[in-house]
């Protein structure tokens, strides 16, 4: 099975691609974010959205594409009721970028490399809603900026296709080029599926499944097509020419829409109202510098350098703001193990509880580093830090040192105080002491617990452990 994907991703831009209309129409009344430009009125001139172009270039660079110093826009002509201009502004033979690739993990450890043929810019159509008695059209999305990302036919299963799509989604979000929110229709897939006999390398006529808008339907639609085409091959009547099919989300099957259109059907010609895009190398290099290190590379680095679990490395690498937080934390804290555990098990628990972003809470990486250093130096215990102190920091934004001082939380490492408490526990629990002496090493945990309790949790458990053992060995 031979699969290629076209991904349409809405560029995270405040305005539409060629006009000043608001690009965010989520939850907004139909047909309010429109103007003569995106409605295709005669005599209106489109103006290229610089921010959208920059974000598309950043995405192209993150997908390892060559960004062209010269590219241009073309009209792709077709009539459809959701396209008021009667054509789409796209890029045909001189796209923004070409020849990229993306690498991602499929199974634990196995890396797949899929070639990206091109990433180009185009504008979106409106939205049709079919209701009883007719159809309604909402033009709010017409003219929204899109990146079209076209893969080479390198994918070999429905699972690989959806993992590839997820990798693209993660990268686009990571570099800030698209919010890639599937629920809001910001990421849509067209999947081209064909079969060929093992050992051949020519491509047979494909079926292009249009407009899939979830990973689940992407996988299901591909699997359905593979089965359908396998039957045709088995009957000796494989498809003779390419077709365009749709996906019926209710019936969970594809249906025939039309013979596959080819480029001549669209009567492409250069968009006469928009000058070509020309960039010098410096402009592209400046954007190259803002592309952050990507999730997979961070994941690999964290796993190798810090010896942390794969789950921890994934948590710390898959979102840019969390990953950057962790990176600045470890710049000021020498204890990596504690840094990992304080971010993944404590901070992230609070973020999930309150449904907020890491940047919207009060504990800065520097404060977190201070907290970790207090534990590291034995001033407070791990439990105190993760419990009472962190909670107070999170609520008030106060420094951990101040909180520890105000609440008198300083852990007791004073040997005399600890020895005294241990001796008391030894005389209070003779049975357990005997058990320990007769070889039940586990009982020490109980005895230490009693000491901690008698000192209201302020003593350093490692110190208590060694003092207690020393006394019991006598
Ligand atoms: Zn407009
Ligand atoms: Mn397209």
């Amino acid at each position: 099975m031979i699969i290629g994907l076209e991904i349409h991703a809405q560029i995270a831009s405040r305005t539409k691609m060629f006009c000043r209309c608001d690009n965010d129409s989520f939850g907004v009344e139909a047909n309010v974010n429109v103007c003569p430009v995106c409605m295709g009125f005669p005599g209106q001139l489109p103006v290229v959205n610089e921010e959208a172009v920059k974000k598309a270039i950043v995405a192209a660079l993150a997908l390892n594409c060559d960004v062209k110093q010269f590219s241009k826009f073309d009209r792709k002509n077709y009539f459809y009721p959701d396209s008021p201009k009667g054509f789409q502004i796209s890029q045909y033979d001189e796209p923004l970028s070409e020849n990229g690739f993306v690498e991602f993990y499929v199974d634990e450890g196995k890396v797949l490399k899929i070639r990206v043929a091109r990433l180009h810019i185009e504008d979106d159509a409106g939205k049709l809603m079919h209701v009883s008695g007719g159809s309604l059209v909402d033009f709010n999305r017409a003219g929204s900026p899109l990146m079209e990302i076209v893969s080479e036919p390198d994918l070999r299963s429905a699972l690989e296709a959806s993992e590839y799509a997820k990798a693209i989604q993660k990268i686009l979000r990571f570099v800030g080029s698209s919010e890639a929110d599937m629920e809001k229709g910001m990421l849509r897939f067209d999947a081209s599926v064909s079969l060929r006999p093992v050992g051949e390398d020519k491509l047979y006529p494909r079926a292009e499944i249009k407009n899939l808008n979830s990973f689940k339907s992407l996988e299901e639609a591909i699997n359905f097509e593979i089965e359908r085409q396998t039957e045709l091959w088995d009957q000796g009547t494989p498809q003779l020419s390419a077709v365009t099919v749709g996906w019926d989300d209710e019936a969970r099957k594809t249906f025939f829409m039309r013979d596959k259109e080819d480029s001549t059907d669209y009567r492409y010609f250069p968009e006469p109202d928009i000058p070509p895009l020309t960039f010098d190398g410096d402009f592209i290099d400046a954007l190259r510098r803002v592309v952050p290190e990507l999730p997979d590379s961070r994941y690999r680095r964290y796993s190798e350098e810090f010896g942390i679990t794969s789950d921890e490395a994934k948590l710390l690498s898959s979102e840019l703001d969390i990953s950057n937080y962790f990176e600045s934390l470890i710049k000021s804290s020498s204890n990596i193990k504690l840094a990992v555990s304080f971010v993944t098990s404590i901070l992230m628990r609070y973020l999930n509880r309150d449904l907020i972003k890491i940047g919207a809470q009060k504990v800065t990486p520097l404060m977190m580093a201070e907290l970790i250093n207090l534990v590291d130096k034995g001033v407070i215990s791990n439990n105190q830090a993760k419990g009472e102190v962190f909670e107070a920091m999170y609520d008030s934004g106060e420094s951990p040192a101040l909180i520890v001082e105000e609440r008198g939380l300083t852990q007791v490492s004073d040997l005399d105080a600890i020895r005294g408490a241990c001796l008391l526990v030894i005389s209070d629990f003779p049975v357990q002491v005997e058990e320990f002496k007769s070889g039940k090493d586990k009982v020490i945990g109980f005895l230490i617990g009693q000491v901690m309790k008698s000192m209201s949790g302020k003593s350093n458990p490692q110190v208590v452990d060694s003092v207690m053992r020393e006394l019991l060995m006598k």
Side-chain angles (χ1 to χ4, degrees):
M1 50 190 85
I2 309 296
I3 302 159
L5 278 197
E6 270 176 30
I7 298 181
H8 287 95
Q10 191 180 101
I11 301 173
S13 150
R14 202 175 54 75
T15 57
K16 291 186 182 180
M17 191 62 226
F18 302 111
C19 62
R20 290 182 178 172
C21 288
D22 200 326
N23 189 34
D24 180 9
S25 293
F26 192 71
V28 165
E29 196 189 332
N31 299 310
V32 292
N33 289 330
V34 293
C35 75
V37 174
C38 54
M39 289 302 94
F41 283 17
Q44 297 298 322
L45 285 176
V47 176
V48 175
N49 176 341
E50 182 182 345
E51 196 55 32
V53 172
K54 284 181 175 167
K55 288 194 167 171
I57 293 176
V58 166
L61 293 170
L63 299 176
N64 304 295
C65 291
D66 301 327
V67 174
K68 300 289 167 193
Q69 297 202 4
F70 176 95
S71 66
K72 67 175 175 64
F73 290 98
D74 300 276
R75 285 192 185 178
K76 183 180 183 181
N77 297 281
Y78 64 95
F79 175 77
Y80 209 66
D82 61 8
S83 172
K85 300 193 297 295
F87 57 85
Q88 180 185 31
I89 302 177
S90 183
Q91 297 190 290
Y92 178 48
D93 52 350
E94 299 273 8
L96 180 77
S97 64
E98 294 173 321
N99 294 326
F101 65 89
V102 44
E103 286 180 304
F104 54 95
Y105 290 90
V106 255
D107 304 315
E108 213 53 57
K110 188 188 164 204
V111 178
L112 207 63
K113 181 174 178 175
I114 300 300
R115 291 170 300 155
V116 172
R118 56 191 278 162
L119 180 154
H120 70 249
I121 299 171
E122 55 188 34
D123 65 354
D124 206 349
K127 235 189 287 185
L128 283 175
M129 271 154 289
H130 306 289
V131 295
S132 69
S135 294
L136 301 170
V137 61
D138 176 3
F139 290 118
N140 282 343
R141 208 178 62 189
S144 276
L146 295 179
M147 295 173 271
E148 181 178 317
I149 302 164
V150 184
S151 83
E152 294 290 353
D154 288 349
L155 298 154
R156 295 292 175 268
S157 72
L159 182 69
E160 283 186 11
S162 76
E163 290 299 316
Y164 164 81
K166 284 175 192 166
I168 297 277
Q169 180 191 44
K170 191 158 78 171
I171 291 171
L172 295 181
R173 283 183 173 164
F174 209 81
V175 301
S177 292
S178 174
E179 288 172 45
D181 187 336
M182 316 256 346
E183 320 253 279
K184 295 184 183 172
M186 290 172 171
L187 201 62
R188 278 124 51 195
F189 315 121
D190 302 332
S192 284
V193 180
S194 64
L195 301 180
R196 74 178 170 211
V198 173
E200 288 192 19
D201 53 11
K202 83 174 226 205
L203 292 172
Y204 282 80
R206 60 190 166 130
E208 181 174 349
I209 315 164
K210 281 285 178 197
N211 247 327
L212 299 160
N213 51 20
S214 74
F215 297 113
K216 183 168 169 261
S217 45
L218 175 66
E219 275 188 54
E220 285 187 14
I222 290 173
N223 281 330
F224 183 89
E225 258 311 301
I226 288 168
E227 259 178 59
R228 187 185 70 83
Q229 292 182 27
T230 303
E231 267 174 44
L232 292 177
W233 275 87
D234 286 346
Q235 290 160 8
T237 55
Q239 226 167 257
L240 292 177
S241 60
V243 293
T244 298
V245 303
W247 172 246
D248 184 336
D249 241 335
E250 303 275 292
R252 319 306 297 170
K253 54 188 195 180
T254 58
F255 59 91
F256 178 81
M257 288 170 82
R258 53 184 182 260
D259 288 330
K260 179 87 188 92
E261 57 290 335
D262 60 43
S263 59
T264 53
D265 293 325
Y266 288 121
R267 306 295 193 270
Y268 278 104
F269 63 84
E271 167 57 59
D273 287 337
I274 304 175
L277 298 174
T278 53
F279 312 118
D280 59 25
D282 290 347
F283 179 80
I284 297 170
D285 284 342
L287 290 171
R288 196 184 303 278
R289 282 192 292 274
V290 308
V291 178
E293 184 190 0
L294 295 176
D296 274 3
S297 158
R298 292 183 193 226
Y299 170 84
R300 234 167 302 168
R301 192 159 56 79
Y302 296 167
S303 310
E304 283 162 16
E305 277 177 28
F306 308 142
I308 60 182
T309 68
S310 143
D311 282 345
E312 287 170 336
K314 216 170 268 172
L315 279 173
L316 293 170
S317 64
S318 52
E319 280 175 54
L320 182 67
D321 51 358
I322 289 175
S323 195
N324 283 349
Y325 183 99
F326 175 67
E327 302 247 336
S328 33
L329 171 58
I330 57 179
K331 268 186 203 130
S332 17
S333 167
S334 50
N335 193 326
I336 304 282
K337 278 261 174 291
L338 286 179
V340 171
S341 114
F342 275 65
V343 175
T344 58
S345 70
I346 302 302
L347 179 53
M348 285 170 91
R349 193 166 75 217
Y350 279 75
L351 298 180
N352 289 337
R353 183 193 72 185
D354 297 344
L355 297 173
I356 55 169
K357 292 269 175 201
I358 205 163
Q361 55 83 46
K362 295 171 183 153
V363 182
T364 63
L366 213 57
M367 288 161 66
M368 191 67 118
E370 272 177 49
L371 179 65
I372 289 168
N373 291 343
L374 290 176
V375 177
D376 225 10
K377 283 192 236 145
V379 178
I380 52 174
S381 71
N382 201 23
N383 286 341
Q384 286 175 315
K386 285 186 171 173
E388 190 176 352
V389 182
F390 181 81
E391 185 169 10
M393 286 165 71
Y394 182 87
D395 289 340
S396 68
E398 272 176 15
S399 90
L402 193 67
I403 292 164
V404 166
E405 201 192 302
E406 277 174 1
R407 302 188 177 204
L409 292 172
T410 316
Q411 163 173 274
V412 180
S413 290
D414 172 2
L415 280 181
D416 285 340
I418 290 176
R419 191 169 289 129
C422 286
L423 286 169
L424 272 179
V425 168
I426 288 172
S427 72
D428 283 352
F429 297 94
V431 178
Q432 285 80 359
V433 169
E434 273 321 302
E435 281 178 0
F436 177 81
K437 286 187 171 167
S438 64
K440 279 178 94 181
D441 196 67
K442 273 191 183 162
V443 182
I444 191 105
F446 169 82
L447 297 169
I448 290 169
Q450 294 304 315
V451 176
M452 297 293 291
K453 206 161 114 190
S454 75
M455 300 183 78
S456 331
K458 284 187 191 175
S459 44
N460 181 323
Q462 279 93 37
V463 179
V464 176
D465 182 274
S466 65
V467 170
M468 185 59 106
R469 282 179 194 277
E470 193 187 302
L471 291 171
L472 290 172
M473 295 305 176
K474 276 182 183 164

